[in-house]
Amino acid sequence: MEEAGERSTSNQSTPTTSPTKLPRGNWVCAKPSTSQSVNLNEHITEKLEVLMNAYKNTKDQWRALGYRKAIGALKSHPRAVTTWEEASAIPGIGSRLADKIAEIVQSGHLRKIDHVCQGEEAKILDIFNNIWGVGPTVAQEFVQLGYKTLEDVRTKAKLNKQQQIGLSHYYDFLDRMPRDEAAEIGKLIEDATKEFNPNFVCTTCGSFRRGKKTCGDVDVLISHLDGHSHKGILFKLLEKLHST
DNA sequence: TGGCAAATACTG
DNA sequence: CAGTAT
DNA sequence: GCCA
């Protein structure tokens, strides 16, 4: 139930805090917060993301992976792409995606989205895939059983523990907060932690650390300079937070 | 044409 | 273990 | 989907 780091698709050099060549990959979280943080191709990536999500919903994971890499490359591209040639020259973008990018640039729309996402089944699959704990396989099983709404799932489906939580908090998990609010929560956790020992180090990671404008959750890394004093703190911290 | 992210958790 | 999901 |  853990989330691995998000690997950047771009291939830009990574300014480093250590002079030696360490086995650290090209991670988004390893880049300085001052690196380009604005997506100059948002009008393109927002549409490709819709298609990518639709393909992921249908278990077409490799096609979705191709889209994900292309979208990442577009987001870190230093200019707004305007031509087919410029698009296809970007690593990770081939002729097929260059076609789609060109269409978006010229018409402001991508007809493929309609064909793929317009159908009733695609819409239902999207609803079900957004249940935390339900992925493409289970979502398709639900559709096969004739389920069409969350209410169908609630009343008819057999759900494991995780999926029950996912369904009961459906909209909460979909909801995102402004990053300022995530910062406040991080601070609250830091304060509570340092009441145990002011030498604890609290770092808010995840989407907040990557500079996102909104956050779906707040990830806080708790450590200690001596490398071990933070062990076992989690349970006590939760106890404290719950009591307030 | 075939490979393409890695690590971890839960379930039957 | 194999499948599913995060 | 992209790429070797």
Side-chain angles (χ1 to χ4, degrees):
Chain A
M1 211 182 334
E2 279 303 310
E3 178 181 329
E6 176 181 323
R7 183 183 277 283
S8 165
T9 305
S10 79
N11 213 20
Q12 301 170 352
S13 67
T14 305
T16 170
T17 53
S18 85
T20 54
K21 184 172 183 180
L22 296 175
R24 179 189 59 223
N26 187 23
W27 308 94
V28 169
C29 56
K31 292 183 176 181
S33 58
T34 52
S35 64
Q36 188 204 3
S37 60
V38 268
N39 174 10
L40 299 179
N41 293 287
E42 190 172 3
H43 55 301
I44 299 172
T45 57
E46 67 181 4
K47 288 187 165 53
L48 295 184
E49 278 171 346
V50 172
L51 255 191
M52 171 182 72
N53 194 52
Y55 286 130
K56 174 162 52 74
N57 287 347
T58 59
K59 303 186 70 173
D60 200 341
Q61 62 167 316
W62 300 122
R63 191 180 308 272
L65 174 63
Y67 273 73
R68 206 194 68 192
K69 296 209 166 184
I71 290 167
L74 276 174
K75 284 183 175 178
S76 60
H77 196 65
R79 297 183 307 279
V81 175
T82 57
T83 68
W84 188 97
E85 288 72 22
E86 185 179 3
S88 68
I90 299 174
I93 297 180
S95 62
R96 312 286 305 282
L97 272 166
D99 288 345
K100 293 177 174 63
I101 291 169
E103 181 186 339
I104 293 171
V105 167
Q106 292 167 21
S107 74
H109 188 60
L110 183 55
R111 290 161 296 171
K112 186 75 176 178
I113 288 181
D114 303 327
H115 300 157
V116 174
C117 308
Q118 211 159 243
E120 158 134 8
E121 179 169 326
K123 294 179 181 175
I124 297 176
L125 278 178
D126 198 52
I127 292 173
F128 292 167
N129 268 283
N130 275 322
I131 301 173
W132 186 63
V134 171
T137 299
V138 173
Q140 285 201 321
E141 287 172 4
F142 287 170
V143 168
Q144 200 58 37
L145 290 170
Y147 305 164
K148 297 183 182 307
T149 65
L150 291 178
E151 179 65 10
D152 287 336
V153 174
R154 184 183 72 80
T155 57
K156 304 171 184 173
K158 180 174 182 178
L159 303 175
N160 64 32
K161 196 102 181 189
Q162 183 181 356
Q163 292 161 344
Q164 290 175 32
I165 294 172
L167 181 60
S168 59
H169 294 91
Y170 186 82
Y171 299 103
D172 286 333
F173 281 126
L174 247 38
D175 192 46
R176 300 183 70 82
M177 72 192 97
R179 64 175 288 109
D180 286 351
E181 186 174 339
E184 287 179 19
I185 294 174
K187 180 66 163 54
L188 190 132
I189 293 174
E190 177 178 4
D191 291 345
T193 302
K194 289 187 172 177
E195 282 182 31
F196 290 109
N197 182 335
N199 293 323
F200 282 133
V201 179
C202 296
T203 309
T204 305
C205 306
S207 55
F208 177 84
R209 185 176 183 176
R210 293 197 300 274
K212 304 299 289 184
K213 292 172 186 170
T214 64
C215 304
D217 60 13
V218 182
D219 305 305
V220 180
L221 176 66
I222 301 176
S223 60
H224 192 286
L225 289 178
D226 68 14
H228 60 82
S229 288
H230 58 288
K231 292 177 182 174
I233 188 65
L234 181 58
F235 189 83
K236 289 190 296 180
L237 175 60
L238 290 176
E239 204 171 46
K240 178 193 287 280
L241 292 173
H242 279 145
S243 68
T244 60

